[in-house]
């Protein structure tokens, strides 16, 4: 069975994402008279609200790598210092 559906769609292409090519958002039926500029701003906020999790994960990994490198440098310095005595 095929239904005739008339929906207003907002498609967002995001080439900066390494995972996703595009996002498709369907407007609610009572939101057909909203200005396009407002819709795009709301859509951008929605999409950007999803992506910070990826940034937090990357920041966490960078922090762990930095701590590991600092700890390794201190450990190597202690080993070299103790080898002279």
């Amino acid at each position: 069975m095929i239904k005739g559906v008339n929906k207003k769609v907002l498609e967002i292409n995001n080439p900066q994402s390494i995972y996703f090519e595009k996002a498709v958002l369907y407007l609610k039926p009572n939101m057909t008279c909203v200005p396009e500029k407002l819709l795009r701003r709301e859509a951008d906020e929605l999409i950007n609200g999803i992506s910070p999790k990826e940034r937090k994960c990357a920041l966490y990994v960078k922090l762990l790598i930095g701590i590991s490198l600092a700890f390794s440098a201190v450990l190597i310095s202690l080993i070299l210092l103790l080898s002279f005595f």
Side-chain angles (χ1 to χ4, degrees):
M1 179 177 182
I2 298 175
K3 285 186 174 181
V5 179
N6 187 8
K7 294 267 186 179
K8 193 168 183 182
V9 177
L10 182 63
E11 183 177 302
I12 301 171
N13 294 316
N14 186 6
Q16 290 96 7
S17 174
I18 60 173
Y19 302 110
F20 302 106
E21 184 176 331
K22 69 175 85 173
V24 179
L25 303 171
Y26 295 92
L27 267 64
K28 293 181 179 179
N30 59 344
M31 293 293 157
T32 56
C33 297
V34 180
E36 186 177 344
K37 190 174 183 178
L38 179 63
L39 291 175
R40 289 195 181 275
R41 186 174 66 222
E42 189 72 23
D44 286 340
E45 287 178 14
L46 178 67
I47 298 298
N48 290 334
I50 296 170
S51 61
K53 293 177 184 174
E54 179 182 318
R55 291 183 193 135
K56 283 183 182 177
C57 181
L59 180 63
Y60 180 71
V61 170
K62 289 177 183 177
L63 183 63
L64 282 178
I65 290 172
I67 291 170
S68 299
L69 288 173
F71 181 73
S72 299
V74 169
L75 188 63
I76 290 171
S77 298
L78 285 174
I79 291 172
L80 290 174
L81 187 64
L82 292 175
S83 68
F84 287 119
F85 291 110

